[in-house]
Amino acid sequence: MGRVNTGGYSSRGTCTGSLIAPDLVLTAAHCVAGQDGLPVNAGKLTFVAGWLGGDYAAASKVAQFEVHPMAYQTPRLNIEHDMALLTLQTPIDIAPLPLTSREAPPYAIVGYQNRRANRLRARFDCNGLRQHRLIRLNCPVENGNSGSPALVRNGDAWAITGIVVAQSGEDALVVPVDEWLRSRILRGAPYTPD
């Protein structure tokens, strides 16, 4: 995991992203939109892997990004497809997180929150259920958690089943891994069907 910074290494405009291949980061589509809702310049985005109080494992500028094709079919964001892939200028030599379509508790959410933007926060005891196209998890999230991976157990390890895109009351709303994302797996991200 790491921070997706919108203005450089120490920018306060941040989301969370997950390395899913050496040069691919999964995050929320609204994380690559400016306050006007229009896409930001990819050159202003930086992914900082393992950010912790000013130290980090690796960093790369973003070369380009691709937003889920159904995210902005209308002028308003469709939260059910609030997903984007960032292509890094420089691949990062850190083991990527695998993806899965498995949906079963316990879920985990790992990400950064703007209130404590220098520390990774995690919960590994979330329950959840499918609500239409989203998964609703009973773990609280805050600004900055957008793009955080929702994880499930995959054997002895954890795998990404979706990403946090919003909060509803005390719950996190998660967009699950879908066909659009799976079609991009050919670019190098590990994937297990369940």
Side-chain angles (χ1 to χ4, degrees), residues 27-168:
T27 193
H30 73 262
C31 292
V32 297
Q35 291 184 352
D36 56 5
L38 298 174
V40 299
N41 180 329
K44 292 186 175 189
L45 299 172
T46 302
F47 176 68
V48 186
W51 178 265
L52 179 62
D55 291 329
Y56 55 92
S60 175
K61 296 291 255 175
V62 174
Q64 63 185 18
F65 58 81
E66 183 179 6
V67 172
H68 193 293
M70 295 177 70
Y72 289 102
Q73 278 190 319
T74 65
R76 299 187 70 154
L77 173 66
N78 180 343
I79 193 172
E80 294 178 343
H81 302 287
D82 188 357
M83 190 179 294
L85 277 176
L86 314 179
T87 301
L88 303 178
Q89 285 181 1
T90 307
I92 292 178
D93 189 21
I94 295 174
L97 287 167
L99 302 172
T100 185
S101 57
R102 186 172 186 275
E103 295 176 19
Y107 292 92
I109 296 175
V110 181
Y112 297 90
Q113 298 173 340
N114 287 349
R115 189 168 45 147
R116 295 194 53 151
N118 291 319
R119 299 280 183 254
L120 195 60
R121 308 279 301 208
R123 289 281 303 263
F124 291 90
D125 60 347
C126 307
N127 282 314
L129 58 100
R130 188 62 98 112
Q131 286 189 332
H132 191 51
R133 291 185 176 265
L134 299 175
I135 304 169
R136 184 181 196 107
L137 301 183
N138 70 340
C139 280
V141 292
E142 297 180 15
N143 288 341
N145 272 126
S146 291
S148 293
L151 305 166
V152 295
R153 282 300 227 171
N154 192 21
D156 292 336
W158 292 86
I160 300 172
T161 191
I163 58 168
V164 174
V165 295
Q167 77 180 64
S168 177

